[in-house]
Amino acid sequence: MNTPSVSTAPVTAAAPRSRASLIALTALAPAIWGTTYLVTTHLLPDGHPLFAALMRSLPAGLIALLITRTLPRGSWWWKSLVLGTLNMAAFFPLLFVSAQHLPGGVAATLGAGQPIIVAFLAVAILGERLSGWRLGWGIVGVVGVGLVVLGPGAGFSPVGILAGLAGTMSMGVGVVLTKRWGRPEGVSAMALAGWQLTAAGLVLAGPALLIDGVPPVIDAGAVWGYAWLAVFGALASYTIWFSGIRQLPVTSTALLGLLSPLVAAALGVLVAGESLAPVQILGFGVALAAMLAGQLAPPARGRPRTAPSPGSGLSQLRPAAPRPAAREQSDRATRSEAGLQG
C-alpha cells in the first residue's frame, strides 16, 4: 500500500520543476535576440539591413541542414517558405532598419507588443479562447518596457517605428502559424529552424545583393557581428524557440519576448554607456513581473461548490449514485445464498 504513494510523489513534484526549466530554456532565445541591437549599431556596417539579414539567415540555415541532414517533405516545402518569410525574411530586415533608426531600447520596445498581437491571433488562427489573464499581463509588460524607454536621450524616428511595428506583426503571425502547424514526427527543432532559415536566406538573396549590395568594408568587428547573429542569434536561438513553442502555450511563450528589450536596454547601460533614470528601473521591474506572471495559470473563477446538507431538500432530488459492479455482484450472491438456505 505504501509503494504507490512513494512512486507518484516525485512525479507530481517534478512536473512544475520541468515546466519551469523549459520556460527558462525558452527564455534564452529572446534574451539572445536582445543583443541584436547592440551588435547592429556597434559592429555591423551601416545602411545594409537586407545584407545583414541575409548573413544572419542563410549561413545558419545551411549549417543546420548539414548537421541534421533532413530536408522538408510534402507540404513542408511551402510551409517552410511561409514561416521562413514571416519569422525571418521579413522580420530580420525590418528589425535591422528599426535598430539603425532608433536607440536599442526604443527599437526593442516595439517588439514588446507581440504578446498582445499573438493573443488575438491565437483566437483567429488557433481557435483558442482569448486569455484575459495573459492579455492583461501583456499590456502591463508593454507599459513596463515603455517606462524603460523614457530615459534621457531616447529618440523616435517614424521610419524606425513603422519598421519595428511591421516586424512585430510579421513575427507574431509566424509564431502562431508555427504553433498551428507544429513540426513533422521525428523532425528535430534544429531541422525545422534550418528549413526556415534557409528559405529566408533564399528569399533575401536577390533583394540583398541587388538593393543593398555587399558593404564596401567588412572589418573584423563586422565578421564577429555576422557570426554572432548567425550562430547564436539565429541557429541556436530559433532551435530553442521552436522547441519551446511546441510544448508551451503560445501566448505565454510570446510573453517571454519581453526579455528582448530588457536585455537590449541593460546592454545599453553596461556596454554603450547609457544611463537609467528611476522611472526606467521601475519599468524593468514591471515588465519582468508581467513576464513571470504571464507564465502562471489563470486563477480559478468562482467559489467551489459545497455539498448540500443531509437534511436539505436538494439531497432528496439528487439521483442515486450508481452502485459499483463489485458491490452489485456481492448483493446478487447474498440473495442467491439466502434463497438456497430458505
Side-chain angles (χ1 to χ4, degrees):
M1 296 296 293
N2 294 333
T3 303
S5 62
V6 173
S7 61
T8 57
V11 175
T12 304
R17 287 200 301 268
S18 61
R19 186 175 187 275
S21 300
L22 178 60
I23 292 172
L25 178 62
T26 307
L28 286 177
I32 294 172
W33 294 336
T35 66
T36 302
Y37 308 97
L38 183 70
V39 171
T40 300
T41 55
H42 287 73
L43 295 178
L44 302 188
D46 191 18
H48 293 77
L50 291 172
F51 183 81
L54 173 64
M55 296 302 296
R56 183 179 181 180
S57 56
L58 188 55
L62 295 177
I63 292 172
L65 292 182
L66 289 174
I67 293 175
T68 61
R69 298 182 180 275
T70 305
L71 292 176
R73 295 185 298 273
S75 63
W76 274 100
W77 285 102
W78 67 264
K79 288 180 180 178
S80 299
L81 180 62
V82 171
L83 294 177
T85 300
L86 291 171
N87 287 327
M88 298 137 189
F91 175 67
F92 287 170
L94 293 169
L95 179 67
F96 287 123
V97 170
S98 179
Q100 290 178 352
H101 285 79
L102 297 171
V106 180
T109 298
L110 298 174
Q114 188 182 117
I116 300 175
I117 295 174
V118 168
F120 287 102
L121 289 176
V123 177
I125 298 177
L126 301 180
E128 296 183 358
R129 295 181 59 184
L130 183 64
S131 174
W133 171 262
R134 295 192 171 106
L135 176 62
W137 285 116
I139 296 173
V140 172
V142 172
V143 173
V145 173
L147 292 176
V148 177
V149 179
L150 299 178
F156 298 91
S157 163
V159 174
I161 291 175
L162 289 175
L165 291 176
T168 300
M169 176 63 73
S170 176
M171 190 172 181
V173 176
V175 165
V176 177
L177 286 179
T178 300
K179 180 69 173 181
R180 178 180 176 84
W181 291 338
R183 69 174 186 259
E185 189 69 26
V187 174
S188 66
M190 179 177 289
L192 180 64
W195 297 349
Q196 296 187 36
L197 288 166
T198 303
L202 295 176
V203 170
L204 288 167
L209 297 177
L210 294 175
I211 298 175
D212 275 4
V214 180
V217 178
I218 300 180
D219 56 16
V223 172
W224 280 109
Y226 290 134
W228 171 267
L229 292 177
V231 176
F232 295 98
L235 178 59
S237 60
Y238 276 101
T239 299
I240 295 171
W241 185 247
F242 291 147
S243 178
I245 287 177
R246 188 182 188 185
Q247 303 175 69
L248 296 172
V250 64
T251 308
S252 63
T253 306
L255 274 166
L256 296 176
L258 294 173
L259 269 179
S260 182
L262 297 183
V263 170
L267 290 176
V269 174
L270 298 175
V271 180
E274 299 175 3
S275 59
L276 291 180
V279 67
Q280 292 177 281
I281 298 175
L282 173 63
F284 258 91
V286 171
L288 191 60
M291 185 194 71
L292 294 176
Q295 307 309 310
L296 303 176
R301 295 181 179 179
R303 294 180 297 179
R305 296 179 180 178
T306 56
S309 60
S312 65
L314 292 176
S315 62
Q316 299 175 1
L317 298 177
R318 180 181 299 173
R323 305 172 73 182
R327 183 176 175 182
E328 289 187 357
Q329 292 177 358
S330 176
D331 291 345
R332 293 194 192 99
T334 301
R335 289 193 297 269
S336 177
E337 291 176 1
L340 291 175
Q341 292 174 359

